[in-house]
Amino acid sequence: ALPIFPVIVLVTIVVVACLIDIVRRSRVKHLPKVAWALIVVLVVPLGAVAYLALGRDSRTTLSDGDL
């Protein structure tokens, strides 16, 4: 049987990383930032995967001012 604790920790890290990325980026694709944040939090873990695949604007890079 797969221990559940490491899976929970990994999913939590990915969700938090996505939320931080949403806040720091000036633009995201397809939906407003608030909508992406709600999807990431409410549809765990598929919301985070969807944001990483569809929501990140690859043309926008983080700069020192974003940190």
Side-chain angles (χ1 to χ4, degrees):
L2 179 67
I4 195 74
F5 183 71
V7 174
I8 292 171
V9 170
L10 181 62
V11 168
T12 302
I13 290 170
V14 171
V15 167
V16 170
C18 285
L19 291 173
I20 291 170
D21 189 69
I22 290 168
V23 169
R24 287 186 175 175
R25 286 192 182 270
S26 58
R27 301 176 46 179
V28 293
K29 294 193 310 188
H30 304 298
L31 294 172
K33 287 181 169 190
V34 173
W36 275 120
L38 285 173
I39 289 169
V40 167
V41 170
L42 296 177
V43 189
V44 175
L46 296 178
V49 173
Y51 170 70
L52 292 173
L54 304 172
R56 293 183 77 195
D57 190 352
S58 58
R59 295 170 294 168
T60 305
T61 57
L62 293 177
S63 65
D64 289 338
D66 295 330
L67 302 176

